[in-house]
Amino acid sequence: MEIYECPQIIEIQFCNLCNSNCLICPYKDMKYKAEYMSSSLFFKFINELKTLNIKRIIPYLNNEPFIDKNYIDKVKIIRENCPNVEIEISTNASLLTENIMFELLKLNITELRLSVFGYYKKTYNKMMPNLTKNVVFENLHKLSKIFKNANTKISIVMIDNGQIEEIEIQKMKNLATNLNFEFNKWGFLDRAKNVKGQSNDFYNDKVNFCEQLRPLKRMHILANGDVIFCCQDWRHRYIVGNLNKNSILEIWNSEKYNSLRKQLYDKNLLAPELCCNCKLAHIKE
């Protein structure tokens, strides 16, 4: 188990809200109280960020980031203070305006991931019931034109949960190609058994490895400053520290964080239940 001296990637949530209630997402069942990151905590994060050799910042974590009306301003501050850091944003594209798109264009975003879980209206409404397909698809076309000559990697992400016909997936892929976007079809993930109504039927108490190396290289910070062990911890049962009380490095190297890492990676120990329920965890000899 080789742990980086500091996280290579940080996922951070400026608000914990989402407007979609996707069929394949646990958000609709979590009943979160609305939380926005305080200004003092945000600037504490920025001041620490400047001192660390972070490769990528993802200002998104289990939410729809553009619900925060000040989101673009916060991304600007990240870019101003960390000119060389990679920035990755995930969004369902429902709240993008032309003004937001032009502001994003100025920020040298490394990667923009667009969650679009249906090509036909009926499928889209089932998969992303709180959103309006026509609005989102209009935004996709506007985004394509505005970012035509940009270096930003833009991709449409579609989740194959077994309820979307292959012809529809192919149509979405064709649309992505026509818009000069990449296309990613991802398999269904029940987020460590946090999605109601559909499961990967995975449980293995022998797991000792995470295929994404999240515990060793990636930190996940919630809007209230809590740091969770993994983004799959939707119920926030594995909190390893709080950024209001300690620094990024103090939390990263804390006894609590290292104890959970050891439980996962030591084949002689029982991994955290979260990991035992996650199909991204494996047995490694």
Side-chain angles (χ1 to χ4, degrees), residues 108-122:
N108 189 27
I109 302 301
T110 309
E111 187 169 355
L112 186 58
R113 295 183 177 180
L114 310 170
S115 297
V116 189
F117 301 154
Y119 183 85
Y120 298 134
K121 184 175 181 179
K122 181 178 179 180

Side-chain angles (χ1 to χ4, degrees), residues 129-145:
N130 286 7
L131 305 184
T132 303
K133 175 189 179 270
N134 288 347
V135 170
V136 169
F137 276 58
E138 285 176 12
N139 286 342
L140 298 181
H141 284 85
K142 291 177 184 177
L143 196 64
S144 175
K145 292 179 181 178

Side-chain angles (χ1 to χ4, degrees), residues 57-117:
I57 298 295
I58 305 176
Y60 155 86
L61 176 57
N62 299 348
N63 67 335
E64 171 46 50
F66 289 96
I67 288 178
D68 182 353
K69 302 299 184 184
N70 298 313
Y71 182 73
I72 286 290
D73 292 333
K74 290 172 181 174
V75 178
K76 283 181 182 178
I77 293 170
I78 292 174
R79 175 54 75 215
E80 289 167 0
N81 285 273
C82 304
N84 297 317
V85 75
E86 296 178 356
I87 297 178
E88 172 193 321
I89 296 173
S90 290
T91 175
N92 58 41
S94 65
L95 300 176
L96 296 180
T97 63
E98 286 192 22
N99 182 59
I100 287 174
M101 294 178 198
F102 280 114
E103 290 299 317
L104 284 173
L105 183 63
K106 299 174 187 176
L107 294 176
N108 189 27
I109 302 301
T110 309
E111 187 169 355
L112 186 58
R113 295 183 177 180
L114 310 170
S115 297
V116 189
F117 301 154

Side-chain angles (χ1 to χ4, degrees), residues 239-256:
I239 297 172
V240 294
N242 186 287
L243 197 58
N244 286 292
K245 301 175 182 178
N246 295 101
S247 69
I248 290 172
L249 282 183
E250 286 171 339
I251 296 170
W252 184 251
N253 295 299
S254 68
E255 181 178 349
K256 193 166 186 178

Side-chain angles (χ1 to χ4, degrees), residues 105 108 143-152 154 179-180:
L105 183 63
N108 189 27
L143 196 64
S144 175
K145 292 179 181 178
I146 291 171
F147 277 74
K148 182 177 181 180
N149 297 314
N151 292 322
T152 300
I154 302 180
L179 295 175
N180 293 316

